[in-house]
Amino acid sequence: MTISVAERAALRSAVRDLLQEKCSEQDVRAAMASEDGFDRELWRRLAEQGVLGMLVDDEHGGLGFGPLELEAVAEETGAALLPAPFISSAVLTVALIQAAGTEEDKRRLLPGLADGSSIGTVAVTGARGTWTPAGVDINAGADGTLTGSAHFVTHGQLADVILVVAQSTDGPAIFQVDVDAPGFRRSPASVFDPTVPLSTYTFADTPTRRLGSAGWDGVQQALDLAVVALAGEQAGGTRRIFDITVDYLKTRFQFGRAIGSFQALKHMAADLLLEVESTTSAAQNAAAKFGDEQARAGAVTLAGFACAEAYVSTAMQAVQMHGGIGFTWEHPCHLYVRRARSGLQLFGDSASHRERYLASKGA
């Protein structure tokens, strides 16, 4: 379901207001230092707003919204650097269940994900981090047990709904693993961005249950939706760090004048504004074309590499334009640099997105 432009703007405004209240820079830093890595009260408030159930059908306790609404909300979560399993649970896990699960699977899992009482994650790729069928390093035995490892599992330590992509006799398949299943071990990974914790999962003859009968097509559809959400977050983060930088240029005085009046910095700011607008356009275009199966791959992959690269470039330039203060941990520039660098590899790197983009164009 897609709502009107006015309703989408109202949804976005409501999310922005909540995040301004509960997800300030100080809140982000506090969440990073906490044991869970996120604010459970804010998570509850997001569930009350319907954010966690945006993609869940109304019959399973959600709002039944689509990619356009997801991208709009993601711009706000990205601008606020929301340190929570939003994409992991409310996007990737939900999308995979809806793409691959049976009706019984949906009734069993989706309501808890929509109301925030459950947190989901998906283990997809091995140590190479390719996010492709060839990169899956978990094998499913004939008896349904799993053996192998998965890396870069987002918010993997918190999840209680764990979906795993594994190689089976008929190709990649999706399985669900209980958190206390024998042979299953999860360990936190070292991360550059503490707002997006990652885990490594290992399986040793771990019993499981298969989720539906879908193969990689269902996984790819869920990954594509996660890329749309990630691109939205990158667009929102790019715009926010640009705004922070422009405000600094207006208020920092040197030689008796605002440094923003210097021509070199004006040119840099103008170039960054183009990055901001291009990033937003690419993310919104991916959301708008998601329902068109012929155009989806090209639009999503274009957003996948364009938004990630623009975010990194803008954040790094913002540090430079802040001068010495931009290099200090106390300044928010570093938080945006870390989120940008983290997203550059998540759900596929720029090279893989470019390859798939060219393939979608027949190259």
Side-chain angles (χ1 to χ4, degrees):
M1 180 181 73
T2 297
I3 57 179
S4 69
V5 173
E7 291 172 322
R8 195 177 307 130
L11 171 65
R12 180 170 179 164
S13 178
V15 174
R16 182 190 306 124
D17 290 345
L18 174 60
L19 294 178
Q20 287 177 347
E21 176 190 352
K22 294 292 186 180
C23 196
S24 65
E25 179 192 343
Q26 291 73 24
D27 294 323
V28 172
R29 292 182 184 274
M32 287 163 44
S34 68
E35 182 178 355
D36 287 340
F38 81 114
D39 182 351
R40 291 190 178 272
E41 173 60 19
L42 175 56
W43 189 248
R44 183 188 65 79
R45 294 279 297 276
L46 288 169
E48 289 177 349
Q49 280 193 339
V51 171
L52 306 186
M54 277 196 307
L55 301 179
V56 177
D57 296 332
D58 54 2
E59 63 181 302
H60 297 121
L63 299 177
F65 290 162
L68 289 172
E69 292 72 33
L70 171 64
E71 191 280 333
V73 168
E75 286 190 34
E76 298 303 324
T77 62
L81 293 175
L82 175 67
F86 171 62
I87 293 181
S88 172
S89 184
V91 182
L92 184 56
T93 305
V94 166
L96 187 54
I97 293 170
Q98 297 202 136
T102 64
E103 285 304 313
E104 192 276 331
D105 292 327
K106 295 174 184 178
R107 287 194 300 270
R108 181 169 53 86
L109 299 173
L110 290 177
L113 294 170
D115 65 21
S117 59
S118 296
I119 295 175
T121 195
V122 183
V124 179
T125 190
R128 289 167 290 175
T130 61
W131 305 89
T132 62
V136 176
D137 285 346
I138 300 172
N139 295 307
D143 58 354
T145 59
L146 302 182
T147 300
S149 63
H151 295 251
F152 316 111
V153 183
T154 53
H155 296 273
Q157 299 300 108
L158 298 171
D160 49 31
V161 175
I162 298 171
L163 305 184
V164 181
V165 181
Q167 302 285 8
S168 69
T169 54
D170 55 348
I174 301 103
F175 299 85
Q176 183 185 359
V177 174
D178 293 334
V179 294
D180 56 355
F184 170 49
R185 182 171 179 264
R186 49 183 173 180
S187 54
S190 297
V191 292
F192 182 67
D193 176 18
T195 69
V196 184
L198 302 175
S199 296
T200 298
Y201 283 1
T202 58
F203 304 89
D205 295 324
T206 302
T208 184
R209 61 186 296 173
R210 183 158 181 177
L211 194 79
S213 58
W216 185 259
D217 287 347
V219 178
Q220 189 63 68
Q221 182 175 333
L223 284 173
D224 283 349
L225 202 55
V227 170
V228 170
L230 182 61
E233 286 203 342
Q234 289 163 338
T238 302
R239 186 173 296 277
R240 177 62 62 84
I241 191 60
F242 172 77
D243 290 342
I244 290 172
T245 304
V246 169
D247 287 343
Y248 179 75
L249 298 182
K250 292 177 180 178
T251 56
R252 174 72 168 94
F253 277 70
Q254 188 69 39
F255 306 113
R257 56 192 287 197
I259 63 173
S261 65
F262 299 138
Q263 189 175 41
L265 289 174
K266 284 182 179 180
H267 288 173
M268 292 177 70
D271 289 342
L272 292 187
L273 179 58
L274 290 177
E275 296 277 27
V276 170
E277 296 299 332
S278 298
T279 302
T280 304
S281 177
Q284 293 179 355
N285 180 65
K289 292 185 177 178
F290 194 85
D292 184 342
E293 292 189 7
Q294 291 186 329
R296 177 192 299 167
V300 168
T301 51
L302 174 63
F305 67 79
C307 295
E309 292 176 0
Y311 193 8
V312 170
S313 174
T314 302
M316 294 298 292
Q317 290 291 337
V319 170
Q320 295 295 325
M321 294 167 76
H322 276 83
I325 192 175
F327 287 90
T328 63
W329 175 243
E330 290 76 13
H331 197 276
C333 273
H334 270 293
L335 299 179
Y336 287 90
V337 168
R338 288 170 182 264
R339 179 64 72 91
R341 295 292 299 180
S342 174
L344 192 62
Q345 307 294 328
L346 200 57
F347 310 132
D349 61 15
S350 291
S352 63
H353 284 311
R354 279 188 166 86
E355 287 183 12
R356 189 171 167 224
Y357 174 79
L358 291 173
S360 74
K361 302 302 179 183

